[in-house]
């Protein structure tokens, strides 16, 4: 059974940084690609980053390209999301998930399984 647990959420000023972590059950980290998505109340879920099983291929949604970095440490079964140059519109609940499925168009076709999520609040 996949088990995912995010941490590192909180508050940051516009232009600031936060680093999210996602600890995965050991087998998940070694066998699945991983991803992060976010959701703001009243809006659809938004996939923002993925990383391949080997960590050599990453994908980012346009709104976060150049500002966010996804990485992983297989020894720790942990996936990270480094968020820099934060904007107010980056506020929301952030979730990590195993084995995201992203269409060539960039549309995410699956948002499960995922962890309980962490809140990120960016304010002026």
């Amino acid at each position: 059974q996949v088990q995912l647990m995010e941490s590192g959420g909180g508050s940051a000023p516009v232009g600031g940084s936060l680093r999210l972590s996602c600890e995965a059950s050991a087998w998940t980290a070694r066998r699945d690609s991983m991803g992060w998505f976010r959701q703001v109340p009243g809006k659809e879920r938004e996939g923002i980053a993925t990383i391949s099983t080997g960590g050599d291929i990453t994908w980012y949604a346009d709104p976060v390209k150049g500002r966010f970095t996804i990485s992983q440490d297989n020894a720790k079964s942990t996936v990270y999301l480094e968020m820099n140059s934060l904007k107010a519109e980056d506020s929301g609940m952030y979730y990590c998930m195993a084995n995201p499925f992203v269409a060539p168009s960039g549309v995410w076709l699956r948002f499960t399984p995922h962890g309980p999520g962490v809140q990120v609040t960016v304010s002026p």
Side-chain angles (χ1 to χ4, degrees), residues 4 37 45 96-101 108-114:
L4 303 165
F37 68 92
R45 289 168 294 194
C96 73
M97 67 168 294
N99 201 19
F101 185 19
W108 282 44
L109 303 179
R110 180 166 58 222
F111 288 96
T112 58
H114 61 79

Side-chain angles (χ1 to χ4, degrees), residues 11-33:
S11 299
V14 170
S17 299
L18 283 172
R19 188 193 197 199
L20 306 184
S21 299
C22 173
E23 186 171 354
S25 54
W27 72 264
T28 298
R30 286 194 295 270
R31 292 173 53 179
D32 292 342
S33 58

